[in-house]
Amino acid sequence: MIEVFSGSEILAQAVNYNLREAGITAIIRNEYESARLAGFGTADAAVSVWVSKEDVILAKMVVAKMLEE
C-alpha cells in the first residue's frame, strides 16, 4: 500500500469517493481518531489515503485533478 493523500478528514473522504468512482479501492487511515480512541492525544490531525501499488499512478492523477478544482 502506498499513500496518495494526506490532509483533513473531509478531504480524505472526498478523495476516497473520487477514487471509488474511478474504480480504485482505497484505505483511509485516521491516526488522530485511533489515538483518541486509545486514550492518547496527538497534535497531528492528518488523515491519509492509501492504495495498492498497481493503482498508484491512476490514483495520483485522480487526486491531482480533484485538488485542482
Side-chain angles (χ1 to χ4, degrees), residues 30-43:
N30 188 337
E31 297 296 331
Y32 174 75
E33 187 66 12
S34 296
R36 186 190 69 76
L37 290 172
F40 304 107
T42 180

Side-chain angles (χ1 to χ4, degrees), residues 5 7-16 49 66-67:
F5 176 81
S8 72
E9 184 171 3
I10 293 171
L11 282 177
Q13 292 293 340
V15 166
N16 185 41
V49 179
M66 186 196 118
L67 295 177

Side-chain angles (χ1 to χ4, degrees), residues 1-2 5 9 17 20 26 28 37 40 42 46-47 51:
M1 300 296 283
I2 297 176
F5 176 81
E9 184 171 3
Y17 174 81
R20 267 189 286 139
I28 295 178
L37 290 172
F40 304 107
T42 180
V47 178
V51 299

Side-chain angles (χ1 to χ4, degrees), residues 28-66:
I28 295 178
R29 289 183 74 183
N30 188 337
E31 297 296 331
Y32 174 75
E33 187 66 12
S34 296
R36 186 190 69 76
L37 290 172
F40 304 107
T42 180
D44 183 17
V47 178
S48 56
V49 179
W50 298 70
V51 299
S52 68
K53 288 180 183 180
E54 295 80 24
D55 294 325
V56 169
I57 294 172
L58 180 56
K60 286 186 177 185
M61 290 176 14
V62 169
V63 171
K65 183 177 182 202
M66 186 196 118

